[in-house]
């Protein structure tokens, strides 16, 4: 609904009576007469200054029948110079009423993205304030004390401009643990052993080494994926089947004489 006039605000007879002029302006903007509905009222616009000097301004409101704009209304503002009878159209706008259908609040693109949205050819630039990344010179290499990852130490601060922050590592660890290759996956609950004891596990470097690795078993559904050390699958390197009892090997023909065929 359009705002109702303030009972304490006087509306001049000349501007208040120019309903058809205001309607014509709304129709001209809408493009068709059937898109402008009933007259909803008029409101005197007030502001700083003397109306006798600055002029009088009144806004007429009309219901909108524009498809897709339920609850909106046309607002046509008319103005008149003090002492003159000529009424001019100041502006015509479409405004939302109290029950208007409004578009949802705009969300920045980097907040709308979800895992899996990136496709071939897409570019996802990192923002300067990404909490997952920090300048490499502000952190120590968490792999420096790892003999097998010592080769990466020179890269920190030299080869890469930014590296994972503590928050970035924690976020990744939580995401991987809750995923399909974490300890709560159905595969892990029925595995003969955890990935931490599997010969096909390639441990990650640095602070995540004690909790995660990459599966290198071509027969495992986790092959090439980051797995938690307490994940597991049936392709564990130590998996074994119980030996079957020796069975009799028959090389001569055998015939079943206990039954007969019905011809």
């Amino acid at each position: 609904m359009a705002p109702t006039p303030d009972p304490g605000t006087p509306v001049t007879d000349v501007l208040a009576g120019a309903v058809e002029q205001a309607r014509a302006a709304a129709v001209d903007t809408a493009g068709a007469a059937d898109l402008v509905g009933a007259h909803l009222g008029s409101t005197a616009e007030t502001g700083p200054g003397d109306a006798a000097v600055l002029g009088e301004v009144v806004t007429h409101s009309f219901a909108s029948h524009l498809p897709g704009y339920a609850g909106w209304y046309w607002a046509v503002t008319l103005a008149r110079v003090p002492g003159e009878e000529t009424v001019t159209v100041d502006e015509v706008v479409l405004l939302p009423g109290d029950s208007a259908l409004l578009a949802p609040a705009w969300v920045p693109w980097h907040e709308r993205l979800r895992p899996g949205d990136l496709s071939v050819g897409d570019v996802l630039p990192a923002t300067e304030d990404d909490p997952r990344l920090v300048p490499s010179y502000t952190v120590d290499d968490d792999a420096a004390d790892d003999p097998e990852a010592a080769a990466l130490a020179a890269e920190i601060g030299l080869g890469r401009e930014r590296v994972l922050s503590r928050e970035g590592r924690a976020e990744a660890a939580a995401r991987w643990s809750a995923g399909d290759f974490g300890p709560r996956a159905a595969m892990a609950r029925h595995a003969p052993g955890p990935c931490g004891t599997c010969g096909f596990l390639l441990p990650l470097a640095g602070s995540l080494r004690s909790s995660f690795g990459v599966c290198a078993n071509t027969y495992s559904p986790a092959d090439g994926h980051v797995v938690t050390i307490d994940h597991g699958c049936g392709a564990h390197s130590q998996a074994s089947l119980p030996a079957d009892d020796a069975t009799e090997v028959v090389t001569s023909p055998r015939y079943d004489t206990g039954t007969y065929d019905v011809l």
Side-chain angles (χ1 to χ4, degrees), residues 34-241:
D34 59 343
L35 299 180
V36 180
H39 183 244
L40 302 178
S42 58
T43 304
E45 305 291 348
T46 59
D50 187 359
V53 177
L54 301 178
E56 299 171 342
V57 180
V58 169
T59 297
H60 289 271
S61 302
F62 300 89
S64 172
H65 295 162
L66 193 65
Y69 288 84
W72 290 59
Y73 66 94
W74 296 102
V76 182
T77 301
L78 305 179
R80 184 173 74 94
V81 176
E84 299 290 338
E85 294 296 326
T86 303
V87 175
T88 58
V89 177
D90 188 9
E91 65 176 353
V92 180
V93 293
L94 188 63
L95 299 177
D98 295 338
S99 60
L101 296 177
L102 301 176
W106 183 80
V107 179
W109 64 268
H110 63 275
E111 296 181 15
R112 297 196 302 268
L113 286 176
R114 292 294 180 269
D117 289 348
L118 201 66
S119 59
V120 177
D122 292 339
V123 176
L124 178 60
T127 58
E128 291 296 330
D129 58 348
D130 192 332
R132 300 172 302 171
L133 298 172
V134 292
S136 56
Y137 60 79
T138 64
V139 297
D140 295 329
D141 179 16
D142 62 3
D145 297 330
D146 184 356
E148 297 182 13
L152 296 177
E155 185 177 347
I156 303 299
L158 298 177
R160 291 183 293 173
E161 182 178 350
R162 294 195 289 178
V163 297
L164 273 177
S165 64
R166 182 183 299 273
E167 182 178 345
R169 293 194 297 269
E171 182 181 321
R175 186 172 63 253
W176 293 340
S177 295
D180 295 336
F181 305 109
R184 292 183 293 276
M187 181 74 71
R189 294 197 298 268
H190 297 84
C195 292
T197 60
C198 181
F200 294 105
L201 181 73
L202 298 174
L204 296 185
S207 61
L208 297 180
R209 178 184 178 88
S210 61
S211 301
F212 298 94
V214 176
C215 178
N217 189 342
T218 187
Y219 298 108
S220 171
D223 181 41
H225 294 276
V226 174
V227 297
T228 61
I229 60 172
D230 45 1
H231 181 66
C233 73
H236 193 282
S237 62
Q238 299 303 111
S240 60
L241 295 175

